[in-house]
Amino acid sequence: MTIERLNPFSFGSFGYYSQGVKIDLGTKTMIITAGQIALNDEGKPVAPGDFTKQTEFIFGRIQQVLEAAGATIDDVVKAQFFITDVSKYSEVSAVRNEHFANARPATTMMEISNTVADGCDVEIEVMAVIDN
């Protein structure tokens, strides 16, 4: 088994972690992303309070991690969404549905009290599987 740590974009001030991990399992490779929030490269929140724009930004970050592993959004098999206001479910879900129209991964969405960065209301992590 081979493990490769993925860090395709520069921002990351929350300690020692990888934005994604690529795990070669023989005939398949699994890619797991860290929870992604809507912080730009300068560490500033993107569109505070706008769940739609934050979710769109996060999907862009997720795509960067997946591309670094040789995968696409259509390879996602599991997704977890954490939102600070469950009444915004439909806004987040609409963006999710656009991006996962083909993949249709098993999905969890739950309300949380906060993310690690003020102004960030959505956090998403995914798992993808590709053939070797």
Side-chain angles (χ1 to χ4, degrees):
M1 181 170 69
T2 305
I3 299 174
E4 178 184 348
R5 275 121 181 103
L6 307 167
N7 292 291
F9 50 91
S10 61
F11 181 71
S13 67
F14 296 105
Y16 299 104
Y17 74 100
S18 295
Q19 296 154 359
V21 179
K22 180 178 180 180
I23 308 162
D24 184 333
L25 301 171
T27 60
K28 302 281 184 192
T29 292
M30 180 186 319
I31 300 99
I32 303 168
T33 70
Q36 301 295 318
I37 57 177
L39 287 180
N40 65 21
D41 289 339
E42 291 77 43
K44 306 283 187 217
V46 172
D50 188 327
F51 284 67
T52 298
K53 286 183 180 174
Q54 286 195 7
T55 304
E56 289 169 348
F57 178 87
I58 292 166
F59 267 98
R61 290 294 202 196
I62 288 169
Q63 288 172 340
Q64 286 180 274
V65 176
L66 293 173
E67 286 171 8
T72 70
I73 202 75
D74 289 342
D75 297 311
V76 173
V77 296
K78 173 69 176 157
Q80 293 186 288
F81 291 72
F82 307 94
I83 59 177
T84 60
D85 183 352
V86 74
S87 74
K88 304 295 185 177
Y89 167 83
S90 62
E91 294 173 35
V92 174
S93 182
V95 177
R96 177 200 61 197
N97 292 346
E98 287 176 28
H99 288 276
F100 288 149
N102 294 323
R104 298 183 180 261
T107 302
T108 301
M109 191 174 302
M110 65 187 82
E111 184 177 48
I112 59 171
S113 59
N114 292 301
T115 67
V116 297
D118 289 338
C120 294
D121 297 303
V122 179
E123 184 164 349
I124 305 169
E125 61 183 34
V126 302
M127 179 189 311
V129 177
I130 58 175
D131 292 324
N132 287 343

